[in-house]
């Protein structure tokens, strides 16, 4: 067996995956060592002195360096010192005939992995290379193990994230808002209300839950909860609460609603599901369909904020402590709502949030509610003071829509494209002229009105759905089809506009009705995202530029509104109050 074969077979096979650099100034010795190492490494580079060796190292980045000491231009030690600046860990086998203690100590200090004395013998060289290759192989295996463990950890984290996201979707599926697309109307003195939810979980596992349900007798029942603690336990408790609430509402008989009986059954069921050291803060609020009153049973929830209009904002405190497994009694409070303009129900993530000024947001809540005029405006005011909430934030805002009217007008046009375009232009002029709205506001409302009119024309009167519209556009016959279809269309499109008074704000309302076949308005959506996912560009644009929108039960009438400060309207210039 040749000496090269002896070295190759004596060294771990892992060496065949490595690159080596041999630095030796003596030509015959360099040739001897190159021949001896043939087949041991994947690649073997050679250099004739220390300077050339340093340059070769920088160029080839070898896994192992074999170096002589006594060389011209740059000694072995100086070369190794230069190598250590680039790579502190690469193994170096020092091949030298010197026995100088000072040189050997310096070599050790430079991290030499092994020494091979000259003249070189095959067994000693093979032993030194085996030692270094073994160390490199162990290091490689450790890195592979760490990488595998990291990959496994990442897979576990992805699985965990997927499970959390799935659980969060399940949480969302339990929430119901039967007033997302419909107004709430109650008896004389109570009027028409729009219910809007702002739901901002701080984490996937959210401790807040809510539902707004329509009762068989026409009333509204609200559930809002904030479970104790955070994480999975809080998310499970609050989800169980919302699910229990919804199941109980689903099982109500078609007869007058008994609020006391409902609360008694709900608290009894939830008390059984709480752990011994667990509590649940929640609110049940009932607005009867026939009377302007609000009846509540609040269990450790923040005060209900009521904008009374001219009387400012008042607070209704909690009726009961948080629910525990040992609760056996409760109290309710019934209050009149005549004259109220807004009701705000919220979790403590809103009022207990710390502002950038170091104060609690509850110090600003009443002023912001009074000035906001809508859910979107209140949320913007909150985020301006609390850019990054540290807790789940949920609030339900009921805004009154039958407000004192300062101005109103009705427009009726036939289902003709030319008539739609002409009315849209007239309404833009109206917003700028007689109503005197500021430019950004009137542009936003003008866009919403045009989209509502086009929806009524295309989908309502001509009966063209989104899929058919896309096909006609792709075929390039959209306009021709419209003109042909409108010749057969009957009926009209009615638009009613009004400007209403709400304290420091004005509210612009627009209702566009087409009298067509409409669409089936689902009973409930968890969020506006689900509502808008069912629609095309029109509804998305309307929602983008308004504070909210509702439909009639037939789905052929849309109402949208926008609240804004009086400063955006030239009241006095146009004779309005």
């Amino acid at each position: 067996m040749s000496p090269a074969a002896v070295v190759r077979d004596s060294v771990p096979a892992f060496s065949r995956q490595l690159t080596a650099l041999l630095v030796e100034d003596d030509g015959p010795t360099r040739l001897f060592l190159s021949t001896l190492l043939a087949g041991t490494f994947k690649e073997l580079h050679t250099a004739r002195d220390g300077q050339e060796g340093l340059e070769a190292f920088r160029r080839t980045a070898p896994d192992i360096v074999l170096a002589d000491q006594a060389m011209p231009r740059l000694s072995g030690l100086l070369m190794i010192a230069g190598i250590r600046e680039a790579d502190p860990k690469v193994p170096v086998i020092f091949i030298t005939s010197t026995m100088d203690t000072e040189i050997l100590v310096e070599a050790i200090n430079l991290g030499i992995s092994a020494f091979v004395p000259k003249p070189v013998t095959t067994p000693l060289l093979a032993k030194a290379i085996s030692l270094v290759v073994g160390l490199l192989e162990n290091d490689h295996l450790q890195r592979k193990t760490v990488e595998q463990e990291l990959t496994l950890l990442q897979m576990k984290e992805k699985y965990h994230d997927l499970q959390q996201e799935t659980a969060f979707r399940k949480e969302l599926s339990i929430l119901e808002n039967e007033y997302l697309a419909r107004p709430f109307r109650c008896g004389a003195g109570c009027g028409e209300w729009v219910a809007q939810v702002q739901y901002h979980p701080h984490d996937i596992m959210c401790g807040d839950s809510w539902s707004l349900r329509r009762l068989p007798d026409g009333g509204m029942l609200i559930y809002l909860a904030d479970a104790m603690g955070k994480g999975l336990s809080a998310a499970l408790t609050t989800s169980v609460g919302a699910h229990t609430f919804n199941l109980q509402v689903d099982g109500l008989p078609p007869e007058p609603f008994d609020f006391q009986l409902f609360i008694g059954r709900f608290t009894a069921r939830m008390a059984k599901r709480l752990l011994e050291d667990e509590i649940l803060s929640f609110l049940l609020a009932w607005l009867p369909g026939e009377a302007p009153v609000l009846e509540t049973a609040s269990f450790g929830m923040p005060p209900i904020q009521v904008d009374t209009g001219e009387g400012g904002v008042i607070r209704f405190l909690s009726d009961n402590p948080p629910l525990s497994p040992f609760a056996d009694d409760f109290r309710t409070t019934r209050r009149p709502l005549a004259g109220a303009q807004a009701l705000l129900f919220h979790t403590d993530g809103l009022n207990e949030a710390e502002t950038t000024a170091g104060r609690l947001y509850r110090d600003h809540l009443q002023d912001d509610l009074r000035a906001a005029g809508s859910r979107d405006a209140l949320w913007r005011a909150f985020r301006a003071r609390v850019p990054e909430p540290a807790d789940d934030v949920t609030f339900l805002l009921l805004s009154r829509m039958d407000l004192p009217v300062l101005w109103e007008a009705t427009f009726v046009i036939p289902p003709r494209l030319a008539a739609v375009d002409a009315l849209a232009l007239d309404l833009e002029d109206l917003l700028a002229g007689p109503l005197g709205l500021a430019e950004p506001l009137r542009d936003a409302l003008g866009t919403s009105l045009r989209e509502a009119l086009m929806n009524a024309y295309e989908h309502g009167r001509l009966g063209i759905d989104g899929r058919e519209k896309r096909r006609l556009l792709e075929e390039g016959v959209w306009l021709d089809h419209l003109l042909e279809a409108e010749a057969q269309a009957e009926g009209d499109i009615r638009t009613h506009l009004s400007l209403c008074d709400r304290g420091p704000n004005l509210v612009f309302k627009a209702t566009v009705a087409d009298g067509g076949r409409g669409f089936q308005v689902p009973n409930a959506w968890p969020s506006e995202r689900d509502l808008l996912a069912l629609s095309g560009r029109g509804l998305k644009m309307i929602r983008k530029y308004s504070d909210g929108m509702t439909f009639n039960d037939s789905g052929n009438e849309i109402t949208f509104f926008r609240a804004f400060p009086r400063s955006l309207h030239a009241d006095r210039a146009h004779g309005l109050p």
Side-chain angles (χ1 to χ4, degrees):
M1 181 180 294
S2 68
V6 171
V7 174
R8 185 186 63 245
D9 293 345
S10 302
V11 172
F14 183 69
S15 66
R16 268 60 116 199
Q17 302 178 35
L18 304 177
T19 299
L21 172 62
L22 171 64
V23 187
E24 171 62 60
D25 67 311
D26 182 66
T29 303
R30 186 170 62 252
L31 178 60
F32 166 71
L33 291 175
S34 298
T35 304
L36 197 60
L37 297 176
T40 299
F41 298 105
K42 181 175 68 173
E43 290 183 73
L44 178 64
H45 303 282
T46 60
R48 292 171 296 185
D49 56 52
Q51 183 62 42
E52 190 176 302
L54 185 58
E55 293 170 356
F57 179 85
R58 292 167 178 165
R59 185 175 65 254
T60 63
D63 300 299
I64 296 176
V65 177
L66 298 95
D68 187 16
Q69 159 56 14
M71 294 184 291
R73 294 211 293 171
L74 206 64
S75 69
L77 289 180
L78 291 176
M79 181 194 72
I80 295 169
I83 287 174
R84 286 289 175 248
E85 292 180 3
D87 188 337
K89 294 183 178 180
V90 63
V92 178
I93 298 175
F94 206 35
I95 303 175
T96 180
S97 59
T98 183
M99 289 292 107
D100 189 311
T101 303
E102 187 175 336
I103 292 176
L104 295 178
V105 169
E106 187 176 353
I108 292 172
N109 290 335
L110 285 171
I112 298 298
S113 302
F115 291 90
V116 175
K118 286 185 177 181
V120 175
T121 62
T122 301
L124 288 179
L125 181 62
K127 184 177 180 180
I129 294 175
S130 295
L131 173 65
V132 170
V133 170
L135 293 173
L136 288 173
E137 186 172 16
N138 287 336
D139 185 60
H140 173 74
L141 292 174
Q142 287 179 3
R143 287 200 309 270
K144 290 286 290 183
T145 301
V146 170
E147 289 173 0
Q148 290 173 352
E149 290 177 350
L150 181 60
T151 300
L152 181 61
L153 179 61
Q154 290 172 340
M155 291 177 63
K156 288 181 177 179
E157 287 180 349
K158 287 182 179 179
Y159 177 76
H160 180 65
D161 291 343
L162 178 62
Q163 292 300 306
Q164 283 196 326
E165 290 172 5
T166 302
F168 184 58
R169 290 198 300 272
K170 180 63 69 176
E171 282 187 82
L172 291 179
S173 71
I174 296 173
L175 311 179
E176 292 194 35
N177 183 1
E178 293 183 331
Y179 294 93
L180 176 63
R182 291 186 176 93
F184 169 65
R185 297 183 178 92
C186 55
C190 186
E192 181 178 288
W193 297 73
V194 169
Q196 296 180 299
V197 180
Q198 184 64 48
Y199 182 54
H200 184 78
H202 182 256
D203 200 354
I204 290 179
M205 295 286 96
C206 180
D208 292 359
S209 65
W210 52 270
S211 276
L212 288 83
R213 301 297 304 273
R214 179 184 294 186
L215 298 173
D217 63 2
M220 176 194 290
L221 189 61
I222 297 171
Y223 171 76
L224 177 62
D226 186 354
M228 179 187 72
K230 298 181 183 295
L232 182 59
S233 176
L236 284 173
T237 298
T238 195
S239 295
V240 168
H243 183 59
T244 302
F245 170 83
N246 286 323
L247 284 179
Q248 196 165 309
V249 173
D250 291 339
L252 289 173
E255 57 190 43
F257 180 63
D258 189 328
F259 191 43
Q260 298 284 333
L261 179 61
F262 186 94
I263 299 169
R265 289 176 175 173
F266 179 79
T267 54
R269 287 167 173 160
M270 284 305 301
K272 293 179 181 178
R273 289 165 173 79
L274 295 177
L275 301 177
E276 287 188 3
D277 59 347
E278 188 177 18
I279 58 174
L280 176 64
S281 296
F282 70 94
L283 164 80
L284 292 171
W286 174 42
L287 287 85
E290 76 287 348
V293 296
L294 170 69
E295 190 163 355
T296 60
S298 177
F299 293 77
M301 290 292 283
I304 301 167
Q305 312 285 334
V306 181
D307 183 354
T308 63
E310 295 301 326
V313 177
I314 61 175
R315 304 190 310 160
F316 296 157
L317 300 180
S318 178
D319 309 290
N320 306 278
L323 184 68
S324 73
F326 314 105
D328 58 1
D329 195 12
F330 62 86
R331 292 181 299 169
T332 63
T333 305
R334 190 177 180 92
R335 303 174 178 92
L337 282 185
Q341 294 188 349
L343 304 175
L344 179 67
F345 310 92
H346 61 90
T347 60
D348 62 11
L350 183 74
N351 63 316
E352 296 298 326
E354 185 175 351
T355 69
T356 54
R359 300 170 61 187
L360 296 181
Y361 184 68
R362 66 186 177 196
D363 296 338
H364 307 279
L365 180 54
Q366 291 188 341
D367 290 339
D368 284 354
L369 174 62
R370 180 73 173 142
S374 69
R375 175 201 59 185
D376 292 350
L378 180 58
W379 181 241
R380 287 192 297 269
F382 172 74
R383 293 306 295 271
R385 301 183 191 273
V386 187
E388 296 296 333
D391 195 1
D392 305 319
V393 179
T394 304
F395 65 81
L396 284 61
L397 181 64
L398 273 64
S399 303
R400 189 163 182 167
M401 288 289 105
D402 57 326
L403 301 166
V405 176
L406 304 176
W407 170 90
E408 63 181 341
T410 300
F411 307 88
V412 181
I413 60 171
R416 303 290 183 268
L417 184 58
V420 169
D421 189 57
L423 179 57
L425 291 173
D426 289 343
L427 294 180
E428 290 174 4
D429 292 338
L430 176 68
L431 296 173
L435 291 185
L437 301 184
E439 184 175 356
L441 176 61
R442 68 172 182 256
D443 290 346
L445 294 177
T447 299
S448 298
L449 285 167
R450 180 176 287 274
E451 293 294 338
L453 288 169
M454 286 301 296
N455 266 353
Y457 167 68
E458 296 173 0
H459 308 307
R461 295 307 335 168
L462 303 188
I464 303 172
D465 61 23
R467 181 177 300 176
E468 184 181 5
K469 180 176 180 178
R470 284 191 294 272
R471 179 183 63 81
L472 294 170
L473 286 170
E474 290 171 358
E475 295 175 359
V477 296
W478 171 240
L479 183 59
D480 293 338
H481 181 82
L482 286 183
L483 297 178
E484 180 181 342
E486 73 175 24
Q488 310 298 322
E490 299 178 350
D492 52 39
I493 299 172
R494 302 178 67 86
T495 303
H496 181 78
L497 308 180
S498 61
L499 193 64
C500 303
D501 182 13
R502 181 188 282 167
N505 297 293
L506 297 175
V507 178
F508 178 87
K509 291 172 56 180
T511 299
V512 179
D514 55 62
R517 64 188 181 188
F519 71 99
Q520 183 175 1
V521 182
N523 285 331
W525 289 284
S527 69
E528 287 180 323
R529 181 178 301 176
D530 301 295
L531 167 61
L532 296 177
L534 302 176
S535 66
R537 173 179 178 273
L539 289 186
K540 292 182 176 70
M541 293 295 289
I542 293 170
R543 180 61 191 94
K544 178 180 179 180
Y545 293 117
S546 69
D547 287 331
M549 58 187 179
T550 60
F551 303 90
N552 65 350
D553 289 338
S554 301
N556 57 15
E557 177 182 296
I558 182 174
T559 297
F560 65 89
F561 65 95
R562 173 77 176 264
F564 54 91
R566 288 184 178 271
S567 59
L568 298 181
H569 172 255
D571 293 315
R572 297 177 182 175
H574 300 279
L576 296 177

